[in-house]
Amino acid sequence: MTTRLVTMDGNDSLTAAAQEMRDSAIGDVVVTDGDNVVGIVTDRDITVRAVAQSMDPGTTRLNQIISRDVVTVSQNDDAVAAADLMRTYAVRRLPVVDDGRLVGLVSMGDLAVEREPQSVLADISADDPNN
């Protein structure tokens, strides 16, 4: 799990999110409303759901393209439970919550490092960002 999270408000622009992703060397931001997780936006979402649809990244808001059906995992759940949720819901990232409060994010890469450290995905995920 990573605890180096970037959260943004749903009214923030896609440009702001893309800049934050670039500056933080990450591929997603968790969209929150106060302490509540309301969605996730990935760099791919910005490209496929917005730019490819000719939406203006400067005026389009995260709320317009977020994935709203967020599946979360408890910080007390193990890697097997997280992997099962990812498989069941076909997601690559799970916000980690503790009493409803966002405390981290677990990705497929995190699980690969934990469960299959010799895999190619684990090697890529454990390496420093190259962007």
Side-chain angles (χ1 to χ4, degrees):
M1 164 177 93
T2 183
T3 56
R4 189 176 60 97
L5 295 172
V6 174
T7 62
M8 297 185 78
D9 185 86
N11 291 316
D12 289 330
S13 71
L14 302 187
T15 298
Q19 290 169 340
E20 187 63 50
M21 289 179 203
R22 177 201 60 206
D23 295 346
S24 299
I26 57 175
D28 59 83
V29 295
V30 178
V31 180
T32 57
D33 180 11
D35 288 337
N36 297 321
V37 174
V38 296
I40 295 179
V41 172
T42 67
D43 47 5
R44 185 174 190 281
D45 293 334
I46 292 172
T47 302
V48 174
R49 294 182 183 173
V51 174
Q53 299 297 324
S54 299
M55 298 170 87
D56 180 354
T59 60
T60 302
R61 303 295 162 209
L62 295 177
N63 279 335
Q64 293 176 255
I65 68 160
I66 62 173
S67 297
R68 292 186 186 275
D69 296 328
V70 181
V71 179
T72 63
V73 64
S74 164
Q75 72 175 2
N76 298 320
D77 290 331
D78 62 14
V80 173
D84 286 345
L85 284 171
M86 286 180 180
R87 185 179 305 108
T88 299
Y89 293 97
V91 295
R92 297 172 185 224
R93 297 166 181 86
L94 294 171
V96 180
V97 296
D98 179 31
D99 290 327
R101 186 177 56 87
L102 181 66
V103 295
L105 189 78
V106 64
S107 69
M108 285 191 341
D110 295 330
L111 294 179
V113 169
E114 173 74 22
R115 298 198 46 181
E116 299 176 27
Q118 302 305 316
S119 70
V120 173
L121 179 57
D123 280 347
I124 293 168
S125 298
D127 209 3
D128 291 332
N130 65 0
N131 52 356

